[in-house]
Amino acid sequence: MITRRIVLASRPGPEGPTEDNFALTEAPLPEPADGEVLLETQYLSLDPYMRARMYEGANYAAATALGEVMPGGTVSRVVRSRSARLPEGRIVTSRNGWQTHHVCPAEGLETVDPALGPVSTALGVLGLPGHTGYGGMIRYGRPQPGETVLVSAASGAVGSVAGQVARIRGARVVGIAGGPEKCRYLTEELGFAAAVDHKAPDLPEALRAACPDGIDVYFDNVGGDIFAAVIPLLNARARVAVCGTIAVDRNQPAKPGIDRLQELHSAILIKQLTLQGFLFDMLGDMQEEFRRDVSAWIRSGELKYREHMVEGIEAAPRAFLGLFRGENFGKLIVHMSG
Ligand SMILES: NC(=O)c1ccc[n+]([C@@H]2O[C@H](COP(=O)([O-])OP(=O)(O)OC[C@H]3O[C@@H](n4cnc5c(N)ncnc54)[C@H](OP(=O)(O)O)[C@@H]3O)[C@@H](O)[C@H]2O)c1
């Protein structure tokens, strides 16, 4: 058995990750041993966190070694089994990485129930990004009815769930997205009160106009200039849930710009702000309520989602790099088989 896989061929240079950093290779796979299964990848999740793994050095997770398969969550089918727990044909979520096949212990793999909907949703709205948006908004945003909640990267996998959860909880939700098509999606499909295009001129003024009563909750997926534009609009006792920094490659030198540190420091004191950075692991105890609520809202039509599907393992590097240019519209997934 051979697996086709994309490995990290070189570390990014000063221009950040490029397609040259990846290589498509083949490798033999062992027969599954007792208690193991052979998996065939059906869907591979491409996520922003993978950028940080391409660099050497400490992040909140270990770097990918050169020559190693790129990491990633998958929905996979058991094609050979030496485990009574997982018969052949079973669909599971796994961490196969960017490859067509994988041999691993059956222990720890979670079964996906195809009756609940398309199995690819286990990587998006019903998987890690959905869980992050749901849990992060409820636990750290704490939106109250009538409050103004701002979400960045709002049409994406995490942001679309975070914003809709706040809307369902009675808040007035404003989304930031790149381009008129994504902005229309937020207001016309997801029920946001307003949308701001961060690629249009004068973001600070557009944000002010969309949030006339200020901002009570900011769910921050991007950092950078958008975060700077939000600071003056935060209300007293506002909560900032810091989820991601996609606008900033933390492994590259900081770009020169206006030093806003003192402004932020003063705002934290004077407005009694709460800024909470969080990682997905901190929301593990919310898994049951997340699945229950989000699957019920999908069934009732209260919560909508989009998937951006690309075809075949060869498409992965280019599609992945597109995340940082806003080329995906919805949860980015590679369809590999099945
Ligand atoms: N804390 C955690 O445990 C955790 C877990 C999962 C994800 N995250 C973070 O959540 C964020 C969203 O992830 P996702 O998987 O849901 O991705 P996504 O939103 O589906 O896709 C990324 C989107 O980010 C936006 N973007 C890219 N570069 C940008 C820039 N320079 N300025 C503004 N927006 C930019 C683009 O949308 P536009 O076209 O609208 O600009 C792009 O489509 C990321 O920062 C990710 O690292 C954190």
Side-chain angles (χ1 to χ4, degrees), residues 47-49 128-129 132 153-159 176-178 182 198-199 221-222 226 242-247 278-281 323-328 330-332:
D47 299 86
Y49 74 82
L128 186 150
T132 303
S155 73
V158 174
I176 301 174
K182 289 183 178 179
H198 69 84
K199 292 182 174 163
N221 279 318
V222 304
I226 296 179
V242 180
C243 178
T245 66
I246 196 163
F278 67 95
L279 298 177
F280 167 72
D281 311 9
L323 279 172
F324 308 98
R325 298 189 288 261
E327 289 168 5
N328 64 308
K331 171 64 202 143
L332 182 58

Side-chain angles (χ1 to χ4, degrees), residues 96-112:
N96 288 17
W98 299 21
Q99 60 182 338
T100 58
H101 295 83
H102 185 51
V103 172
C104 64
E107 196 64 45
L109 297 177
E110 204 177 318
T111 297
V112 179

